[in-house]
Each structure stands twice: as C-alpha cells, then as structure tokens.
Amino acid sequence: MSSSNQIKNTRYKSNTGQTRWASVEEMQRSATKVDLSAPAYPTGGIPVMSDGHTAYLDGRDTHTLIFGATGSKKTRLFCMPTINMFIRAGESFVVTDPKAELYVRTAGFAKEHGYKVVVLNFRDIGYGDMWDPLALPYEYYRTGRRDEANNLVNDLAATLSAPQKENSSDLLYPMMAEGLLTANMYLLFEAAAAENAVNLRSLTALCSQSSLESLKTLSGKMNNQNTIGMLFKGTLLGENEKTVSSIMTVLYGMVNIFNMNKRLTDMLCSNTFDIRMFGHEKTAVYIIVPDEKTTCHFLVTMFIKQVYEILIGEAQRQAKLALPIRVNFVLDEFCNIPKIPDMPSMISAARSRNMRFYLVAQSIHQLKGRYGEDADTIKGNCDNWIFLTSRERDLLNEISFLCGEIDAWGPGGAEKRKLISVTELQRFNKEKGECLILHGRQYPFITYMADIDEYPDFANYQVIPIPPIEIPHPNTFDVVKFTTKFAFAPEGVPFSNPD
C-alpha cells in the first residue's frame, strides 16, 4: 500500500464523525486581516471577526446568507460595516435600503472615496436618479445584439407578469398576456424609435384596451414570418373576442401601476447612469423602496435582474471573463421583494464573473415561501451562514443540525448531543452582538461582532442629501396614428423581420 493510501485510510479509520467549535486562530487563518484604520484594504467582504479596530474578512468569491429576526441588528452588525469595507477596497455594490439608513451611513463615505453614487428612490420620487428599463434592451436590439436584447425583454415581461401568475388559478391568460407584453416591447423597438418614444409610458398605452383595435389592424398587416407578427397574431387574431378581452384585462393589470403613478412612470423613462459601468468604475447603488407597502417592490426585482444580466454580458467581453471591478449585491429584506427570476442559476454563476450576493432574511420559512424548492439551491450556494436570533423552529433545527454532534456522558452513559441546542441558539446576547457563523469549511464559530458605532473610523460619516432631479415628460407612441399610416399597406409592409 502506498504512503498516500495509508494516510487516507488512517484518516478514515480515525474519523469519529464528531464536530467541535472552531478556534480563534483557525478563523483568523481562514480570513483576510485588515486594520480598519488603513486608508485602503486589499479586499472587501463580510467580517467574520471584528472588534471595531481590526477585522477578519472573507474576501473570497463566496456568497453569504444572514438570518435574523426583525430587530436583531443585522444591518448594524453586518450590512453597514461590510459596505464601508467595500468602499475601502474599491469594490462596487448594489444595496436594497428600505429605510435609507444604509445611504445615510455610507454614501458620504463612498463619495469621499471617489465613488459614483446612484440612488433609485422609490420612496420620494423626484430625488435621486432615473432608470429606463427599456433603454439597454432597445440599444442591444438596434445594434444587432438580439440575443442579449431578447434576454432582457423576456426578464422584464416575466417580472411584470409574476404577480398575475402567482394570484391566478389559471395560468393561460397570464402566459398569453406576457406574450402580448413582449410583442408590445418589440413593436416599440421597431416602430416608436422615430418618435423617440421607446419608453414605459408608450408601453403602458399599448397595453390598454384603447389600443386593441389598432393592434389587431397592425397584426393583420404583419408578415407571418415576423417575430412580432407571430406574437400578435397568436393572441389577438387567434382567439375569440371574450378571450382577447380577458387577456387584455390581465395585461393591463401588469402595467397598471405605471398608469396610476405618472410621475413614477416618467422617472422610469430616462437614464442618469449606465449599468454597464458598475463593473468598470467604483459605483455605489442604493435602492430606496418603502418597506411599509409593497407597491414598488417589483421594481427592485426588475432592476436587480437587469443589472445582473447586463453585467454578465460585460464580464463575457473581458479577457478573463470577469468584471474588472467586483460588484456586490447586498439584498436586505431579500424575501420581501418579489421572486427574482432564475435566482438559483444567478447565484451559481455569479462568483466566476466577480459578483457576490449577500442575502439578508428573517427565516427559512420566509425564504421557502418566496422561492419554494429553489430555496435549497440558494442556501447551498452560500458558503457563509450567519445566525443572529430567531424563534423559527425550522431555522433553529437546521442551524443546530449543521453544527453537528459531540460525544457526551448522560445518565445512561455515552450518548450523542448537539454541539449547540435549539434552546442555546435562542439565548444569544443581542447587545453584545453575539452570533454564530458557519464559514466555508471551518467548524462552527460563535463570536461577538462590533456594532457600527464601535468602528471609530466609520463614526465620523458625512450625510449627503439626495439631490433633486428634473424629470422630463417623455413622448408617447401614437399607435392609432401609426396604424392609420399603414391602413392601406399590403400585408407584411410595416416591419422587417427582426430575426
């Protein structure tokens, strides 16, 4: 038997299957030490140990899942310090910020370090930045990057149709309405460019009942081999009037918020930043969305998905197939925003492209409620689990199980006991920042994390006001005028084949 086989067999035979607590030295060796007063850090990442003066960060390309009930100090112990560490390391980040407290605590610091600060403010429309979700899909479509454009269009349609699908017992109408929504976006790309009217206001108008007859007329004129024509004809000309009316009702429901909130819609018809640059220049992106109502939460999902897809494309164009500057997604209240399409595949593919996710959730029940069976894939792709506090039995049992068992002596002799029990997990000291960390392949570790106010170098932060913006009134595509123009045109004339 070779020496290598002897080593393997010896290790196998001596393995008792027991666990233990990781030592301080083991955790320190597994992480990157940073002096928090240093002007720059070699890497950014979440702290696995910190006293406010010295921290040990996980700078690897790993994802992190943070569990903690409301009021468990998830933001103060981890989110705020981690964002400030990104800034010292020169890494870009996109954060969800329901109460704008992350912006208040870190935006001035980012500005001082040369960051471009972007604020998507769905709480106070008119302050912050503007984002046009149709701008880059249209640019890609117009410049021949059709596959990328199609991916972005499909993502937008899937996000807008998701609530209708979730609340419908019959998926036929939502699916057909989603197809019609996709057709309307392509119609804008082909027909509204000359009027500078490729925007959400035009899309909303196309999705109303008042546009139905014009869309039917157009679809009748389109070439059968045309992608737009096939999408329209399959819905508008292939169904009876009652079915078409029902489909249009569902479609209108998908975009109704844009019809009801004109100022929000206008804000989403222009761009003040370029998503592609997030991976090329230091950028701090704050998504401020009301947490007391869910009206705009779907926009967070839509934005995150588009940012991810565009950055994947940017990474693929680099020699190393990775973004030059790392982009970190810190998604606070991750399970309170609508389900992000393809999240399991996103979290699996992100690391090799120089992107990381930090997902903050209250419970496993909440995660499974939002993502169903995909929750296990999401959990499995997170190399770091951080537990603060919870009363949820499933979460407590899973954390206790993952920490493993030890041999112990009881009244009946030798027995197996949990390294940490469910009861002990519920008794962590909140004021001291006590938490349990499952870090990479290390044994479990319990530590006390410094509160953001215990970081002297992060204490003197500058609060910068969110600047007001002038929101222009966009043009709206006149489908009636356009249809009249081609009223007597032979079939197939209005559009070339986009394929």
Side-chain angles (χ1 to χ4, degrees):
M1 182 180 293
S2 68
S3 60
S4 61
N5 283 337
Q6 289 176 348
I7 292 172
K8 290 180 181 178
N9 288 341
T10 300
R11 180 181 177 188
Y12 176 79
K13 290 176 181 177
S14 64
N15 182 11
T16 63
Q18 286 199 88
T19 186
R20 61 175 173 82
W21 294 112
S23 68
V24 170
E25 293 74 21
E26 286 173 328
M27 293 295 289
Q28 290 175 341
R29 286 196 299 268
S30 70
T32 301
K33 181 181 179 180
V34 293
D35 178 354
L36 293 171
S37 63
Y41 302 163
T43 184
I46 198 156
V48 294
M49 294 177 65
S50 176
D51 62 6
H53 300 276
T54 302
Y56 290 83
L57 313 180
D58 186 357
R60 302 170 302 151
D61 291 323
T62 56
H63 305 305
T64 298
L65 189 54
I66 303 173
F67 284 115
T70 301
S72 59
K73 300 181 69 173
K74 301 183 293 289
T75 301
R76 298 185 63 84
L77 298 178
F78 289 101
C79 295
M80 288 179 181
T82 301
I83 291 170
N84 279 312
M85 291 169 189
F86 292 153
I87 295 168
R88 287 277 174 89
E91 298 180 3
S92 294
F93 55 90
V94 178
V95 303
T96 53
D97 191 10
K99 300 180 179 68
E101 55 187 347
L102 297 177
Y103 176 87
V104 168
R105 196 77 193 219
T106 65
F109 195 56
K111 198 78 173 176
E112 289 175 2
H113 284 73
Y115 274 70
K116 177 178 176 58
V117 176
V118 173
V119 184
L120 273 186
N121 191 351
F122 298 120
R123 181 178 288 278
D124 295 311
I125 306 298
Y127 290 85
D129 286 272
M130 294 182 289
W131 164 56
D132 181 356
L134 291 178
L136 283 176
Y138 170 58
E139 179 182 324
Y140 290 168
Y141 185 89
R142 179 174 51 83
T143 57
R145 294 162 63 176
R146 295 291 170 85
D147 288 341
E148 292 173 271
N150 292 341
N151 288 337
L152 295 176
V153 166
N154 290 335
D155 286 340
L156 290 173
T159 302
L160 287 170
S161 64
Q164 299 287 340
K165 292 178 183 176
E166 290 176 3
N167 298 322
S168 176
S169 57
D170 184 355
L171 291 180
L172 176 63
Y173 290 155
M175 291 297 293
M176 296 187 76
E178 183 179 332
L180 189 53
L181 179 64
T182 302
N184 281 336
M185 283 190 264
Y186 285 129
L187 173 62
L188 290 179
F189 293 172
E190 288 280 345
E195 303 174 25
N196 192 27
V198 180
N199 55 55
L200 277 180
R201 184 176 281 279
S202 295
L203 182 63
T204 303
L206 284 177
C207 295
S208 66
Q209 288 280 358
S210 60
S211 298
L212 179 57
E213 292 307 315
S214 296
L215 292 176
K216 284 183 177 180
T217 301
L218 279 177
S219 63
K221 298 290 184 180
M222 293 179 190
N223 190 304
N224 287 332
Q225 301 303 311
N226 183 282
T227 300
I228 305 172
M230 287 188 293
L231 287 168
F232 275 129
K233 288 183 178 183
T235 303
L236 299 180
L237 302 182
E239 302 291 340
N240 60 51
E241 290 296 322
K242 183 178 180 181
T243 299
V244 171
S245 179
S246 298
I247 293 169
M248 290 298 295
T249 300
V250 174
L251 177 63
Y252 188 72
M254 292 178 182
V255 298
N256 189 44
I257 184 175
F258 304 123
N259 186 61
M260 299 296 292
N261 193 330
K262 301 293 187 182
R263 192 159 170 77
L264 170 66
T265 306
D266 290 350
M267 171 192 167
L268 296 169
C269 289
S270 298
N271 270 330
T272 55
F273 58 90
D274 188 340
I275 290 172
R276 292 169 291 193
M277 298 309 295
F278 293 178
H280 297 277
E281 63 181 27
K282 298 187 299 185
T283 311
V285 184
Y286 300 87
I287 309 170
I288 300 173
V289 60
D291 57 348
E292 70 275 9
K293 54 185 178 180
T294 62
T295 310
C296 293
H297 282 189
F298 77 97
L299 292 170
V300 181
T301 297
M302 186 185 296
F303 180 72
I304 291 167
K305 190 64 166 73
Q306 186 169 101
V307 169
Y308 174 86
E309 292 294 341
I310 289 170
L311 292 182
I312 285 286
E314 287 300 301
Q316 291 299 111
R317 279 181 277 278
Q318 307 304 311
K320 296 182 178 180
L321 302 180
L323 297 172
I325 293 179
R326 180 186 275 163
V327 178
N328 301 277
F329 294 85
V330 182
L331 306 185
D332 197 5
E333 299 297 344
F334 173 60
C335 300
N336 286 339
I337 62 173
K339 181 179 180 179
I340 300 174
D342 305 318
M343 187 63 195
S345 59
M346 286 170 58
I347 203 168
S348 298
R351 286 185 292 190
S352 61
R353 272 75 169 198
N354 212 16
M355 289 186 279
R356 294 186 296 191
F357 282 92
Y358 297 83
L359 309 178
V360 184
Q362 294 181 22
S363 66
I364 282 180
H365 175 76
Q366 189 187 50
L367 183 62
K368 288 182 176 179
R370 181 64 71 194
Y371 285 92
E373 294 181 358
D374 289 339
D376 289 333
T377 304
I378 293 170
K379 291 189 299 176
N381 276 284
C382 291
D383 215 27
N384 296 319
W385 285 33
I386 295 170
F387 173 83
L388 293 163
T389 186
S390 176
R391 295 291 190 192
E392 186 201 21
R393 184 172 59 183
D394 288 347
L395 176 57
L396 293 167
N397 282 331
E398 183 155 359
I399 295 293
S400 179
F401 172 80
L402 290 174
C403 289
E405 296 179 327
I406 58 173
D407 291 330
W409 287 93
E415 60 182 36
K416 292 286 187 182
R417 288 185 184 174
K418 298 290 186 183
L419 180 65
I420 186 167
S421 69
V422 166
T423 301
E424 291 173 296
L425 285 170
Q426 296 179 74
R427 294 180 177 173
F428 282 0
N429 191 316
K430 172 184 172 180
E431 300 309 316
K432 291 184 178 181
E434 189 175 14
C435 61
L436 185 149
I437 297 177
L438 297 170
H439 166 57
R441 299 188 180 186
Q442 298 298 315
Y443 286 107
F445 185 70
I446 291 180
T447 186
Y448 298 106
M449 298 299 299
D451 182 270
I452 186 65
D453 287 339
E454 297 177 67
Y455 289 77
D457 289 278
F458 299 157
N460 298 320
Y461 57 92
Q462 177 188 4
V463 180
I464 56 175
I466 301 174
I469 48 173
E470 291 292 331
I471 301 177
H473 186 75
N475 295 334
T476 303
F477 177 59
D478 191 337
V479 66
V480 176
K481 178 181 177 181
F482 184 83
T483 305
T484 303
K485 180 180 178 182
F486 292 102
F488 301 102
E491 182 178 347
V493 169
F495 305 102
S496 60
N497 190 338
D499 296 330

